[in-house]
Amino acid sequence: MAVGDASSILLEDPQCLRGIDTRIRYGKLPFYALLSFMDLWAGFPSNLAGLQLLKEYMAKEIGVEDGEIIASSKGLHIYDYCWDLAKTRTGRIK
């Protein structure tokens, strides 16, 4: 599944998700997601959760088991406003 089209590169804030490759394998439906960039703190959890819900729905409709997600991003980052929260959550600031 491709996300966006040729004009997407002209957007001020283009979508992170670029595509999902999938096929039924061993009776399961896996997703291989390609993201151009991803916000590790705010985007990563919600993006993967949304992909998981889509994958579960598709697997149920097709009549196969839910498979794994393998996600790849060429630019993983954390925005400046998230650093203190991320450090607190990981126990680096008490």
Side-chain angles (χ1 to χ4, degrees):
M1 295 175 265
V3 179
D5 59 17
S7 66
S8 297
I9 62 171
L10 303 175
L11 296 172
E12 186 174 328
D13 293 311
Q15 65 278 4
C16 299
L17 181 62
R18 303 308 298 166
I20 302 170
D21 184 24
T22 187
R23 70 184 64 166
I24 298 169
R25 187 167 186 187
Y26 306 118
K28 296 182 179 183
L29 181 69
F31 269 18
Y32 303 93
L34 175 62
L35 298 108
S36 58
F37 49 87
M38 189 183 309
D39 173 8
L40 177 61
W41 191 256
F44 181 71
S46 56
N47 287 341
L48 286 187
L51 288 173
Q52 178 62 32
L53 291 173
L54 174 63
K55 185 168 55 68
E56 288 174 8
Y57 172 77
M58 288 176 64
K60 182 178 177 184
E61 290 296 308
I62 295 168
V64 297
E65 291 183 45
D66 180 24
E68 64 187 355
I69 293 179
I70 297 176
S72 176
S73 176
K74 65 180 185 176
L76 192 60
H77 59 270
I78 295 179
Y79 289 108
D80 286 341
Y81 70 88
C82 293
W83 273 112
D84 287 340
L85 181 58
K87 286 178 183 177
T88 300
R89 179 66 177 99
T90 58
R92 296 185 182 245
I93 294 178
K94 301 198 186 225

